[in-house]
Amino acid sequence: MVYAIVLAAGQGRRMGGGPPKQFVSLAGRPLLFHALAAFERASQVDRVVLVTLADRVDRCREDVRWWDMGKVTAVVAGGERRQDSVAEGLGAVPAAASVIAVHDGARPLILPEQIDAVVDLARRKGSAVLGTPVTDTVKEIEDGRVLHTLDRSRMWCVQTPQAFRATIFREAHGEAARRGYEGTDDTSLVEHLNVPVYVVVGREDNLKITAPEDLAMANSILRSRTVSVPSNLRVGHGYDVHRLISGRPLILGGVTVPFDRGLHGHSDADVLSHAVADAVLGAMCLGDIGDHFPDDDPEYAGISSLILLERVSELARENAAEIVNVDATVIAQRPKLAPHAAHMRERMAEALGIATERLSVKATTTEGLGFAGMEQGIAAQAVALVSLGAGPIDPVRENAG
């Protein structure tokens, strides 16, 4: 099991006021979001421990849930120094962990493949760090006077992530605590054990945000990584509504939701799945579910709408189309649907044959207005993005460069 400790407990005083740097906005999202998203997509990392400021722990737990960062299993308060914060994070890593990686949350431009390369080398060699060779001439200076020129061919600038076999990492931090030694990074603690550290060649654009001007550069780098929208992408919109009646179960997104009434319809009347199906069909210009599954056909009487979604997915494959993502909203005054949203996402994503993170489900009320507000019925809307004739596409990885 590979754990990553992401550090977001610094004050960032050089940013010139405002929130701590790990929470300032970059491309419309906090810096921390970008760093965590890279670890979420890294195939070599299983779990993440987030270390943040003591007064931000509860907020970060909410943010992580809102951002759908499923790998983050713990959010803990950091310490006064970076080394203290790492130790706090280490305390939240189970003893069964085999490799532990550490990353600065203020490095938002890290790529998943860089993380995987460092973790893989640490697994094989014991310790690894991301770094880049120094290209400028380096001189040792004292009191403003050059003492001598260093051999830059042996000089590297190290970055994060840094990764280690768990036994080595725990021993290094324990020994540093006993001796009162403070290192500038985690590899320096490992070096004190006389354990070799190996380097993975990184990228210059893995910036650490320390000053306001770094944000402008980071925004520019993110824009350069973004690919133009392919001409084969199509958007579809779906809308459906059903009346609430007694004597029927309430099924939404393939999930039976406890309620005193259900939805009226020829099938299971799953209004959410119907809206999603219409959105996907609309993106492919293939009509709507009424065209493919008529409500006067006995074959579809009482049928699970998840089966209809499976058939829509088959139509997509037959038309060389890939469902990129779906965003859906249920409109209902009652019952409360948020506790069931995650299960709905899983059921519908499975039926469509896509990853759960490609399908979003939200719920809203109408503040008592209209048929939904008066609990006469429930409505749903959905938007789907489909790639036609281009084979599978993962826009998150594409945009990551």
Side-chain angles (χ1 to χ4, degrees):
M1 182 75 72
V2 175
Y3 269 75
I5 299 172
V6 176
L7 303 173
Q11 295 288 344
R13 295 183 175 88
R14 283 178 285 180
M15 289 298 291
K21 62 184 178 184
Q22 56 271 31
F23 302 106
V24 301
S25 179
L26 173 63
R29 298 275 201 169
L31 287 183
L32 181 58
F33 168 86
H34 297 281
L36 289 176
F39 279 85
E40 197 72 20
R41 302 194 303 272
S43 62
Q44 298 290 321
V45 175
D46 300 300
R47 300 287 185 270
V48 175
V49 173
L50 175 60
V51 184
T52 188
L53 298 161
D55 61 358
R56 289 266 182 167
V57 169
D58 291 338
R59 171 66 183 274
C60 280
R61 285 178 179 145
E62 293 177 5
D63 287 342
V64 164
R65 184 168 58 252
W66 179 254
W67 296 336
D68 198 22
M69 300 293 178
K71 288 185 181 180
V72 180
T73 56
V75 180
V76 300
E80 183 176 345
R81 306 170 302 166
R82 181 187 188 279
Q83 197 162 312
D84 298 328
S85 293
V86 175
E88 294 295 335
L90 189 56
V93 176
S98 58
V99 174
I100 300 172
V102 181
H103 183 68
D104 295 324
R107 289 190 187 271
L109 303 180
I110 186 65
L111 297 173
E113 53 265 34
Q114 293 174 305
I115 298 169
D116 288 339
V118 173
V119 169
D120 182 65
L121 187 59
R123 184 185 282 112
R124 291 185 288 112
K125 296 284 192 177
S127 301
V129 61
L130 200 64
T132 57
V134 171
T135 56
D136 293 328
T137 297
V138 181
K139 297 181 181 290
E140 184 178 355
I141 297 174
E142 184 177 281
D143 296 328
R145 182 176 68 87
V146 173
L147 297 181
H148 62 273
T149 301
L150 303 176
D151 181 4
R152 73 179 181 189
S153 68
R154 302 179 64 186
M155 301 293 164
W156 284 62
C157 294
V158 298
Q159 306 170 346
T160 63
Q162 304 177 358
F164 316 88
R165 288 182 190 150
T167 51
I168 294 173
F169 193 52
R170 293 185 190 278
E171 182 183 357
H173 269 267
E175 186 68 14
R178 285 190 291 273
R179 295 190 178 186
Y181 170 72
E182 182 177 0
T184 55
D185 71 347
D186 295 288
T187 59
S188 60
L189 306 187
V190 172
E191 290 162 25
H192 268 63
L193 297 179
N194 292 319
V195 172
V197 178
Y198 296 86
V199 179
V200 173
V201 179
R203 293 168 47 140
E204 296 286 349
D205 61 6
N206 184 24
L207 296 180
K208 185 174 183 180
I209 307 300
T210 58
E213 54 267 27
D214 296 330
L215 278 176
M217 188 177 298
N219 270 299
S220 177
I221 292 169
L222 281 179
R223 284 195 299 269
S224 71
R225 291 179 179 180
T226 303
V227 296
S228 59
V229 177
S231 61
N232 62 310
L233 292 182
R234 299 289 186 271
V235 175
H237 176 261
Y239 175 82
D240 196 25
V241 59
H242 284 271
R243 287 189 296 113
L244 281 165
I245 62 171
S246 299
R248 294 259 301 189
L250 177 59
I251 300 174
L252 294 170
V255 176
T256 301
V257 179
F259 196 50
D260 58 0
R261 286 165 292 163
L263 293 171
H264 176 71
H266 183 62
S267 64
D268 62 1
D270 184 343
V271 67
L272 176 57
S273 293
H274 293 179
V276 169
D278 272 351
V280 175
L281 290 168
M284 297 185 293
C285 294
L286 293 178
D288 61 21
I289 56 174
D291 297 323
H292 297 272
F293 319 110
D295 60 8
D296 56 359
D297 189 334
E299 178 185 354
Y300 304 115
I303 192 171
S304 168
S305 294
L306 293 180
I307 295 176
L308 304 187
L309 282 181
E310 289 174 358
R311 296 186 184 179
V312 168
S313 181
E314 291 172 5
L315 284 171
R317 287 193 294 273
E318 291 170 3
N319 286 270
E322 174 78 6
I323 301 168
V324 179
N325 77 296
V326 177
D327 182 30
T329 301
V330 185
I331 305 160
Q333 195 65 32
R334 286 193 312 137
K336 189 175 179 62
L337 299 177
H340 308 283
H343 194 195
M344 294 175 189
R345 292 178 62 207
E346 292 172 359
R347 297 297 304 277
M348 290 193 295
E350 181 181 6
L352 288 172
I354 62 175
T356 305
E357 56 264 28
R358 292 196 190 188
L359 195 152
S360 169
V361 171
K362 308 184 297 296
T364 187
T365 70
T366 62
E367 302 294 335
L369 301 175
F371 71 88
M374 292 186 288
E375 299 186 23
Q376 295 173 336
I378 292 177
Q381 296 187 20
V383 177
L385 181 63
V386 171
S387 173
L388 298 179
I393 157 181
D394 188 339
V396 174
R397 289 192 179 275
E398 283 196 359
N399 289 347

